[in-house]
Amino acid sequence: MGRSEVMIVFSLGFLFQSVLVLGSLSVFVYFWKNKKSQPKTKSVLAGSALVLMISLYFFVLSSLDFIHLLSGNAETAKGECIWTHYDGGKNSWVEFTVGGLALQTGTNDFPEIEEGSFSCEAKYLPYTKKVIEIQVHD
């Protein structure tokens, strides 16, 4: 996967997380201001606060990784790699382990790599452990 493709995917994820943070924040503020006039205010406040906290957590992680991606400061892992595909229908993913370090990637990010064990060098983002580049050594 090239750098521009990684930037596009990361930007779209970042945009989605931004909308989620702003949406849950606006629901929380609206119900907080109008808590006397709404009948189910406590449950809506609790739900929106939970969504806000979870979305803020992922927003911060993605922001930190986005900074690393823009500055070119990706981490590197070398060693014996284990590449395993999991197909769960809509929820397919690749488990990728380099010397005991668990990394993640999508099933279509590196279609040329087949399942198995091999020597490799991988560049990944430090907070989300998303693989952005991989080199297989013979």
Side-chain angles (χ1 to χ4, degrees):
M1 181 153 59
R3 182 175 167 85
S4 62
E5 292 169 334
V6 171
M7 291 291 287
I8 290 170
V9 169
F10 229 84
S11 298
L12 290 174
F14 194 72
L15 178 66
F16 174 74
Q17 290 169 351
S18 300
V19 168
L20 193 60
V21 167
L22 293 174
S24 59
L25 180 63
S26 64
V27 168
F28 183 81
V29 169
Y30 173 79
F31 277 93
W32 184 264
K33 286 184 176 181
N34 300 315
K35 56 184 160 185
K36 292 182 181 174
S37 65
Q38 302 293 333
K40 296 186 177 185
T41 301
K42 289 183 182 180
S43 60
V44 173
L45 281 173
S48 62
L50 180 66
V51 170
L52 179 62
M53 289 180 354
I54 292 170
S55 61
L56 270 174
Y57 173 74
F58 287 112
F59 181 78
V60 169
L61 283 182
S62 294
S63 299
L64 293 171
D65 270 350
F66 198 57
I67 292 168
H68 280 273
L69 183 64
L70 289 175
S71 64
N73 293 334
E75 302 277 326
T76 303
K78 298 178 186 178
E80 187 68 22
C81 300
I82 301 169
W83 190 272
T84 310
H85 290 269
Y86 292 99
D87 188 15
K90 291 183 180 180
N91 298 324
S92 300
W93 72 94
V94 174
E95 183 178 283
F96 180 56
T97 309
V98 183
L101 176 67
L103 302 173
Q104 68 174 1
T105 186
T107 55
N108 297 326
D109 292 346
F110 302 99
E112 68 278 2
I113 298 177
E114 298 199 15
E115 192 167 340
S117 180
F118 48 87
S119 178
C120 73
E121 180 177 342
K123 288 187 178 180
Y124 64 95
L125 298 171
Y127 294 97
T128 57
K129 305 291 189 237
K130 171 85 173 130
V131 177
I132 57 173
E133 186 179 315
I134 187 168
Q135 291 180 331
V136 178
H137 303 294
D138 294 329

